[in-house]
């Protein structure tokens, strides 16, 4: 279940709420509009990514700023914290994936790089694999521990991918092939059903399912192996910006242009 729900706005205000009651528990302030915000694995820290490219880490309970870091020289394209919270991996528009050691910042190491026209797009849940996407459809998947590319391929010729996400174990890639159609591209499965632009597409924590959000005011679940559709979450009055599974996969959280966030029962769609 979702016990805590974190959200942010363009004023740099981050709100942490009780996922069951909706009651506001804590507020954190960033000195720039917030692009992305999330809780770490043990719910001990709140991480906010500002539009400037700076990353802010707060202690969840005290609200104190632990550290902030980052570079404005290139735009961040992805961010992920290691399961043991010992480091943060970032991908940037300059084609580099960087490892930031928490508690020792700004100590950083470039752990993978690609030509500047390729951008890191996602990191596996265990922080080991990073996917990179080029402007002409070139894809690389890099094993950060081994330091080599597991995959170099050109999956796309007639269409330019919008987004590219990596499954937790690094074995599947999830692409938005155009604004309306996501696809699991390591398998020939196209996920058809949305009637508007796709805002987000991501794997569940076990990689078995995919959840997408769209301008058509819905979020949808799909079987990652077969491409078969699951529940459709309807009720928002505006475009659904993003959708996430909970860690245990039992509930879904969505955020929308209607200025609301909603929590849904994953098994019923209610």
């Amino acid at each position: 279940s979702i016990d805590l729900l974190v959200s942010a706005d363009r004023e740099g205000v981050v709100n942490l709420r009780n996922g069951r009651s909706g009651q506001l528990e804590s507020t954190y302030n960033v000195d720039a509009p917030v692009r992305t915000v999330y809780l770490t694995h043990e719910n001990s820290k709140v991480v906010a990514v500002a539009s400037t490219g700076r990353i802010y880490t707060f202690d969840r309970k005290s609200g104190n700023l632990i550290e902030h870091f980052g570079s404005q020289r290139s735009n961040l394209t992805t961010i992920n914290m290691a399961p043991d919270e010992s480091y943060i991996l970032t991908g940037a528009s300059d084609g580099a994936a960087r490892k930031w050691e928490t508690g020792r910042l700004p100590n950083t190491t470039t752990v993978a790089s690609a030509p500047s026209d390729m951008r890191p797009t996602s990191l596996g849940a265990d922080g080991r694999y990073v996917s990179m996407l080029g402007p002409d459809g070139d894809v690389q998947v890099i094993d950060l521990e081994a330091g080599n590319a597991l995959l170099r391929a050109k999956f796309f010729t007639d269409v330019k991918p919008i987004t590219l996400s990596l499954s937790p174990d690094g074995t599947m890639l999830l692409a938005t092939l155009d604004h309306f159609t996501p696809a699991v591209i390591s398998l020939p499965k196209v996920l058809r059903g949305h009637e508007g632009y796709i805002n987000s597409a991501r794997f569940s924590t076990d990689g078995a399912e995919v959840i997408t959000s769209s301008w058509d005011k819905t979020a949808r679940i799909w079987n990652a192996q077969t491409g078969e559709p699951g529940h459709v979450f309807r009720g928002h009055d505006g475009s659904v910006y993003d959708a996430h599974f909970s860690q245990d996969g039992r509930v879904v959280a969505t955020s929308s242009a209607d200025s609301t966030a909603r929590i849904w029962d994953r098994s019923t769609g209610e």
Side-chain angles (χ1 to χ4, degrees):
S1 63
I2 294 181
D3 295 320
L4 296 168
L5 185 66
V6 64
S7 61
D9 62 26
R10 295 180 180 178
E11 303 300 320
V13 178
V14 178
N15 292 318
L16 181 70
R17 298 180 182 275
N18 184 294
R20 299 178 185 274
S21 67
Q23 182 178 353
L24 182 66
E25 294 196 355
S26 300
T27 298
Y28 316 87
N29 293 293
V30 175
D31 56 3
V34 176
R35 194 182 74 182
T36 303
V37 63
Y38 66 93
L39 284 164
T40 58
H41 294 79
E42 300 299 324
N43 292 336
S44 61
K45 300 181 182 70
V46 174
V47 179
V49 183
S51 59
T52 60
R54 299 286 290 177
I55 301 171
Y56 299 76
T57 304
F58 298 89
D59 181 87
R60 179 179 71 83
K61 292 184 177 180
S62 70
N64 293 332
L65 178 65
I66 300 173
E67 53 199 359
H68 60 92
F69 60 96
S71 172
Q72 299 183 27
R73 291 176 297 176
S74 56
N75 294 323
L76 294 179
T77 56
T78 185
I79 176 173
N80 196 35
M81 181 170 278
D84 63 2
E85 301 184 8
S86 63
Y87 62 89
I88 292 173
L89 283 170
T90 61
S93 58
D94 62 1
R98 295 180 174 89
K99 178 179 178 180
W100 307 78
E101 296 183 40
T102 57
R104 298 180 59 191
L105 300 175
N107 191 25
T108 180
T109 304
T110 299
V111 292
S113 61
S116 58
D117 61 348
M118 295 194 77
R119 57 185 175 88
T121 58
S122 65
L123 295 150
D126 60 2
R128 178 171 178 174
Y129 306 101
V130 60
S131 63
M132 295 192 177
L133 176 63
D136 297 323
D138 297 315
V139 174
Q140 288 188 23
V141 177
I142 296 174
D143 185 329
L144 298 178
E145 290 186 6
N148 57 13
L150 295 178
L151 172 70
R152 286 190 177 95
K154 190 177 186 69
F155 285 100
F156 313 101
T157 54
D158 299 327
V159 63
K160 180 180 178 181
I162 307 300
T163 64
L164 186 68
S165 300
L166 191 63
S167 65
D169 61 3
T171 62
M172 290 187 290
L173 292 164
L174 173 63
T176 304
L177 300 182
D178 54 45
H179 284 300
F180 290 80
T181 308
V184 180
I185 62 170
S186 60
L187 300 172
K189 304 300 179 187
V190 177
L191 314 179
R192 302 189 186 277
H194 279 296
E195 298 176 355
Y197 288 1
I198 305 296
N199 289 321
S200 70
R202 62 185 76 249
F203 285 98
S204 59
T205 54
D206 61 4
E209 294 180 306
V210 168
I211 189 164
T212 56
S213 64
S214 171
W215 280 22
D216 66 10
K217 305 179 183 180
T218 70
R220 295 172 182 253
I221 290 178
W222 315 79
N223 185 297
Q225 294 291 337
T226 66
E228 291 296 315
H231 287 295
V232 180
F233 302 93
R234 294 186 174 93
H236 280 295
D237 294 324
S239 172
V240 180
Y241 288 147
D242 207 352
H244 287 261
F245 289 104
S246 61
Q247 283 293 103
D248 61 11
R250 296 175 62 184
V251 296
V252 165
T254 57
S255 60
S256 169
D258 63 14
S259 299
T260 68
R262 300 189 179 207
I263 297 174
W264 311 80
D265 185 310
R266 178 255 175 275
S267 62
T268 65
E270 298 296 325

